Amino acid sequence: RPRVLSGIQPTAGSFHLGNYLGAVRQWVALQETHDAFYMVVDLHAITVPQDPKELRANTRLATAQLLAAGLDPERCTLFVQSHVPEHAQLAWVMNCLTGFGEASRMTQFKDKSAKQGTDRASVGLFTYPVLQVADILLYQADEVPVGEDQRQHIELTRDLAERFNGRFGEAFTVPSAYILKETAKIYDLQDPSVKMSKSASTPKGLINLLDEPKATAKKVRSAVTDTDTVIRFDPENKPGVSNLLSIYSTLTGAQVAELEEKYAGKGYGALKTDLAEVMVEFVTPFRERTQQYLDDPETLDSILAKGAEKARAVAAETLSRTYDLVGFLPAK
Ligand code: AQP
């Protein structure tokens, strides 16, 4: 079986619809066909300031949401990044292979550090993509299921894997990004020119899966569309409507063309009312299942302990080979 690896940050509490449709939904499907490793990336989370108590709670909450979304610890390896020390260890080696200019060109860093100011942005935020490189290479992943915003980081991963293999000898599988066109980028409901994101979206444009279903329905019903009235998938000229159609289609399994036909001659109101209902049907059981997992922290922790053990077995092997190739003297 080919291998996949991906991760999600435990920073915001609730996952948003972009996280789910862009990434987590694919993780659930891929555990059936791939040898799948998924993690809650708490090392990444501390690249911006975190409250320790909240971070700990959010790490369990992220795990509960992943299980509620359909990850099955019997079918995939689910773990917390800091439970596997090899991530930080390989990241150091990769940091030493990365050019300063190369890291400076990462657009996510440029955007985030511009917002925070270069004195407040941490060096950890700067090397975030390199830690991500280590995350992926440790598991010899063939594919990495992510949203479009991560494409540049996967390219960096490929470059560094090839660089290491060329300079020191074959150590790493060169991975590919696994990005589904339909859900690669889910847009803000109030400003469909920007991606839905926990840090950049306005509260009304961001669908948090754990919010009250009623509030979520209201956000869908007040989504920004356009002054035209035709329901047609046309991301360039009708970004708001097209975003709603993508979300609707993915959540229900209906083809976009079928939806265009279904709503021909009807107004945007009908589309939004129906999508609001679809969303409520999706988030209501998701919230309930998340709460059930949260109510049983011992089970959660034991799933994570088993996951870390399985992950470490793979990660330790890669790290030891890497250390050897780099020229580190083996510890006796
Ligand atoms: N809008 C999106 N559309 C499609 N995929 C998305 N992802 C995030 N936003 C969208 C994908 O979700 C996965 C987890 O990403 P993350 O751990 O970076 O989650 P996040 O920090 O909650 O994502 P945000 O909201 O994008 O954070 P900020 O605002 O800090 O930048 C990834 O695979 C990502 O591609």
Side-chain angles (χ1 to χ4, degrees):
R1 279 186 160 202
R3 190 169 279 170
V4 286
L5 171 122
S6 198
I8 188 156
Q9 297 196 72
T11 29
S14 176
F15 292 170
H16 60 69
L17 190 65
N19 298 142
Y20 175 71
L21 294 180
V24 176
R25 197 167 174 279
Q26 279 65 264
W27 301 9
V28 177
L30 289 167
Q31 66 184 344
E32 307 301 336
T33 51
H34 286 63
D35 184 17
F37 287 77
Y38 302 126
M39 56 179 178
V40 179
V41 291
D42 53 352
L43 298 181
H44 285 280
I46 65 163
T47 55
V48 294
Q50 296 294 316
D51 174 78
K53 261 205 206 111
E54 275 175 31
L55 176 61
R56 201 165 292 132
N58 281 339
T59 301
R60 280 211 185 96
L61 180 58
T63 310
Q65 290 176 88
L66 291 173
L67 294 166
L71 288 191
D72 175 355
E74 300 293 322
R75 292 185 155 76
C76 69
T77 302
L78 175 59
F79 63 102
V80 172
Q81 189 183 27
S82 66
H83 293 177
V84 181
E86 284 81 0
H87 289 261
Q89 292 173 296
L90 184 62
W92 179 253
V93 176
M94 290 299 151
N95 271 322
C96 297
L97 272 191
T98 310
F100 187 83
E102 191 175 30
S104 309
R105 285 192 289 275
M106 294 296 116
T107 54
Q108 201 171 64
F109 170 74
K110 284 200 277 190
D111 291 348
K112 290 193 173 175
S113 61
K115 262 184 229 149
Q116 291 182 36
T118 35
D119 272 337
R120 285 188 54 211
S122 71
V123 175
L125 188 68
F126 183 63
T127 64
Y128 181 121
V130 186
L131 176 58
Q132 199 175 327
V133 168
D135 296 340
I136 298 165
L137 297 184
L138 268 181
Y139 297 92
Q140 310 289 351
D142 298 290
E143 288 177 293
V144 188
V146 286
E148 182 62 40
D149 57 345
Q150 295 299 321
R151 193 184 286 281
Q152 193 188 28
H153 293 167
I154 311 301
E155 278 305 312
L156 178 69
T157 310
R158 294 171 60 84
D159 289 347
L160 287 173
E162 279 166 2
R163 192 172 306 163
F164 187 101
N165 289 347
R167 200 171 293 176
F168 297 104
E170 282 299 316
F172 302 122
T173 303
V174 180
S176 314
Y178 179 95
I179 300 175
L180 291 190
K181 201 165 90 254
E182 303 76 29
T183 50
K185 198 165 176 187
I186 300 298
Y187 295 89
D188 185 304
L189 295 191
Q190 287 298 313
D191 179 0
S193 69
V194 300
K195 73 160 193 168
M196 186 180 286
S197 120
K198 65 175 184 316
S199 58
S201 290
T202 54
K204 278 180 74 188
L206 174 71
I207 301 281
N208 278 317
L209 301 186
L210 296 178
D211 283 354
E212 271 295 325
K214 267 193 196 151
T216 295
K218 196 168 162 201
K219 285 185 195 176
V220 175
R221 284 195 305 266
S222 46
V224 163
T225 44
D226 50 55
T227 51
D228 185 28
T229 53
V230 185
I231 296 177
R232 175 168 45 90
F233 188 78
D234 178 356
E236 208 167 297
N237 300 305
K238 301 172 74 70
V241 174
S242 303
N243 190 37
L244 296 179
L245 285 171
S246 299
I247 296 170
Y248 197 153
S249 156
T250 314
L251 286 178
T252 59
Q255 300 293 318
V256 168
E258 286 170 42
L259 294 173
E260 285 174 336
E261 205 171 305
K262 179 174 174 189
Y263 290 98
K266 297 187 183 162
Y268 292 155
L271 173 72
K272 291 195 225 174
T273 307
D274 289 355
L275 178 57
E277 229 169 83
V278 165
M279 198 79 84
V280 168
E281 269 168 40
F282 170 69
V283 295
T284 306
F286 177 82
R287 292 173 92 221
E288 283 166 13
R289 284 197 299 270
T290 300
Q291 191 55 49
Q292 282 163 8
Y293 285 112
L294 275 184
D295 288 341
D296 185 2
E298 276 172 28
T299 301
L300 273 187
D301 291 353
S302 104
I303 289 172
L304 291 174
K306 281 194 201 121
E309 201 181 320
K310 274 165 54 190
R312 272 203 89 170
V314 178
E317 205 181 302
T318 305
L319 185 76
S320 135
R321 178 161 170 71
T322 311
Y323 269 24
D324 186 46
L325 286 168
V326 164
F328 292 156
L329 184 68
K332 285 276 178 241

